[in-house]
Amino acid sequence: MSVPRGAVHAKWIVGKVIGTKMQKTAKVRVTRLVLDPYLLKFFNKRKTYFAHDPLQQCVVGDIVLLKALPERRSKHVKHELAEIVFKVGNVIDPITGKPCAGTRFLENLSDSENLTEADTTYLSEKLQELKVCQTDK
Amino acid sequence: GRFPVRRTLQYLSQGDVVFKSSVKVMTVNYNTAGELSEGARKFVFFNIPQIQYKNPWVQIMLFRNMTPSPFLRFYLDNGEQVLVDVEDKTNKEITEHVKKILGKSKETLEKEERERKKLSHPATFGPKKYHLRECMCEIEGQVPCPAFVPLPKEMRGKYKAAMKNEA
């Protein structure tokens, strides 16, 4: 078989989701580094691909791995969602497996070690106030 | 820019990491601050142009300040993903490591070079695009081009025809 998989040149692709307004389809922007022949510098060249997303689990801003479909699903959709690499707002560091944001791990924030005594008393007061409000209602 | 050497063709062609044909996407996550990421930053600054020049069909994506630890991730054709931790490594170590895991070996590269040489025959003449030389006059020791040095009388068609007519 001359074309076992992918009627498209690009078999696997990593891109960022731009739009999810279509039903079960995600619009993904893919950037490749292209050499400018005169400046001899690499610039990002963008291209948008449409990907089939049956469970509609993509949000705008996710980094996503697309896989080429064996044949075209519709006029523009030639890829499907293989895996969400980084979910926006919920990035998991693949080396340690912990959630992180920017250059800090998110786990540590919930530890009470960083909170001073004043903080804990303040927080507990606030909680009591809330409980009182709730009982009033 | 800071290191304009990076933008010369000679520097770009000096890159020795040629990926195997199964590597499709390379993703680099690194941080713009912090000593651990220093090697990764140097790798991105110096070596990524070389890699992209040698592998124009591999998609390379760079992500900054997304995770605390820097790493490289390769997506292969069979669905496999290769995660390479790059924390606390110099940029040379990273290139060596990548070359060892996913680069074509020297023997395969030499083989491909020989295959390419076989296709074009160096002893033929023609347009610059397909052959090395255009005319025999370019070679030293051969008759120089009559455009620059007039041919001796005996070789000129005019003289030869005149001699023939006489005889």
Side-chain angles (χ1 to χ4, degrees):
Chain A
M1 287 251 281
S2 59
V3 187
R5 201 234 282 141
V8 192
H9 199 256
K11 308 280 186 277
W12 295 85
I13 252 183
V14 168
K16 187 170 169 182
V17 174
I18 326 174
T20 48
K21 296 236 173 102
M22 298 174 281
Q23 288 165 355
K24 296 197 180 168
T25 322
K27 198 199 272 186
V28 175
R29 176 180 284 159
V30 160
T31 59
R32 292 173 196 267
L33 289 171
V34 172
L35 181 66
D36 182 279
Y38 183 69
L39 293 177
L40 287 181
K41 190 176 168 177
F42 285 97
F43 292 101
N44 282 323
K45 186 174 177 182
R46 308 173 180 173
K47 191 168 177 179
T48 44
Y49 289 91
F50 291 103
H52 178 60
D53 178 16
L55 306 167
Q56 273 185 296
Q57 51 179 323
C58 288
V59 183
V60 175
D62 290 350
I63 310 289
V64 135
L65 175 70
L66 305 179
K67 182 174 159 168
L69 289 166
E71 68 269 314
R72 274 198 326 192
R73 203 187 151 76
S74 79
K75 186 174 165 197
H76 293 288
V77 178
K78 297 161 270 189
H79 299 268
E80 64 166 353
L81 176 75
E83 186 203 334
I84 301 184
V85 177
F86 294 120
K87 188 101 184 120
V88 73
N90 190 16
V91 176
I92 299 190
D93 186 12
I95 296 178
T96 50
K98 298 177 190 166
C100 57
T103 44
R104 300 165 58 194
F105 284 109
L106 282 176
E107 272 192 338
N108 290 338
L109 294 175
S110 54
D111 281 354
S112 53
E113 292 167 0
N114 292 336
L115 298 171
T116 58
E117 282 200 359
D119 287 336
T120 42
T121 43
Y122 177 74
L123 281 170
S124 52
E125 277 174 16
K126 283 280 165 181
L127 275 170
Q128 282 201 338
E129 276 180 39
L130 284 169
K131 277 183 199 162
V132 167
C133 291
Q134 274 187 342
T135 46
D136 281 340
K137 280 179 189 171
Chain B
R2 270 184 294 157
F3 285 88
V5 178
R6 300 177 298 142
R7 286 168 55 179
T8 53
L9 279 173
Q10 198 202 23
Y11 175 83
L12 290 175
S13 47
Q14 264 171 11
D16 51 353
V17 183
V18 180
F19 285 132
K20 297 182 184 159
S21 51
S22 61
V23 178
K24 297 288 171 192
V25 186
M26 171 169 141
T27 303
V28 186
N29 269 280
Y30 65 104
N31 294 326
T32 45
E35 266 194 37
L36 299 170
S37 213
E38 180 67 38
R41 261 174 278 152
K42 291 252 182 284
F43 176 72
V44 165
F45 192 69
F46 289 110
N47 293 308
I48 289 222
Q50 288 178 324
I51 299 176
Q52 182 77 102
Y53 184 74
K54 290 280 169 176
N55 309 277
W57 297 110
V58 171
Q59 183 195 357
I60 299 184
M61 291 210 83
L62 305 171
F63 296 109
R64 294 178 180 80
N65 297 326
M66 284 189 82
T67 75
S69 54
F71 59 92
L72 268 64
R73 209 165 188 179
F74 298 91
Y75 296 89
L76 306 185
D77 208 7
N78 47 14
E80 228 180 285
Q81 292 179 17
V82 183
L83 185 64
V84 181
D85 190 6
V86 147
E87 208 166 327
D88 216 10
K89 281 197 187 156
T90 60
N91 94 48
K92 270 201 176 162
E93 280 173 35
I94 305 172
T95 41
E96 287 294 306
H97 190 63
V98 167
K99 197 162 129 189
K100 214 169 26 161
I101 1 171
L102 293 164
K104 283 191 183 156
S105 63
K106 251 193 180 175
E107 294 100 31
T108 31
L109 283 173
E110 277 170 20
K111 242 198 221 175
E112 281 174 9
E113 272 266 357
R114 265 179 272 149
E115 294 289 309
R116 256 178 281 156
K117 275 194 184 162
K118 268 191 200 172
L119 293 173
S120 57
H121 195 66
T124 44
F125 297 93
K128 280 273 176 210
K129 192 177 172 191
Y130 302 108
H131 304 99
L132 286 175
R133 296 158 295 214
E134 289 205 324
C135 179
M136 184 70 100
C137 63
E138 289 178 31
I139 303 171
E140 294 173 14
Q142 297 297 330
V143 172
C145 193
F148 299 101
V149 171
L151 287 174
K153 269 200 293 189
E154 292 84 19
M155 288 195 207
R156 297 177 67 200
K158 192 173 171 182
Y159 188 79
K160 278 197 213 165
M163 294 300 283
K164 219 189 203 182
N165 284 342
E166 259 184 56

